[in-house]
Every structure is written in structure tokens, then in C-alpha cells.
């Protein structure tokens, strides 16, 4: 992993809950391939914005890392 990839993996996806991109990537590589599944697995979307900020980021992660 390059330094840039490490920094990228530390970016927060769900700001309310403080969940970083690497947590989502782990579940993606374990076969979780839906927004709902990723939210359930990580706890994202349960913060004060109710997923308004993180849902589009989760969707784009799925688009970038989908099959
Ligand atoms: S950013 Fe994920 S619930 Fe607000």
C-alpha cells in the first residue's frame, strides 16, 4: 500500500459516526455490496444527519469497488 492509499483509507466516510473508508473497504471485500448492507455492517447512517452526508459517499464507494 502506498502512503497515498493509506491516507485515502483513513478518510472519514460517515462524519457523524467517525467511520473511515478502510472500514467500508473491509466489508466490501467481504462481499457486502449494498448501501443498506454497508450501513448495517459499519453503523454508518445512524448519526445526527441520518445518512444525508454519508449515503452518497457509500454509493460512490460501491460504484468504484463494485463487481
Ligand atoms: S455522516 Fe453518516 S450519519 Fe451523518
Amino acid at each position: 500500500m502506498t502512503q497515498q492509499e493509506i491516507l485515502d483509507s483513513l478518510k472519514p466516510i460517515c462524519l457523524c459516526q467517525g467511520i473511515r473508508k478502510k472500514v467500508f473497504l473491509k466489508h466490501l471485500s467481504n462481499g457486502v455490496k449494498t448501501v443498506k448492507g454497508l450501513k448495517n455492517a459499519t453503523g454508518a447512517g445512524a448519526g445526527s444527519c441520518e445518512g444525508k452526508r454519508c449515503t452518497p459517499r457509500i454509493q460512490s464507494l460501491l460504484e468504484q469497488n463494485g463487481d
Side-chain angles (χ1 to χ4, degrees), residues 7-38:
L7 287 175
D8 187 57
S9 78
L10 294 174
K11 281 187 187 153
I13 297 293
C14 179
L15 297 166
C16 296
Q17 306 285 80
I19 308 166
R20 297 176 189 276
K21 186 172 173 179
K22 64 178 182 175
V23 179
F24 290 85
L25 295 179
K26 188 185 84 186
H27 289 292
L28 271 164
S29 71
N30 287 338
V32 184
K33 300 286 185 186
T34 62
V35 171
K36 192 169 187 286
L38 284 171

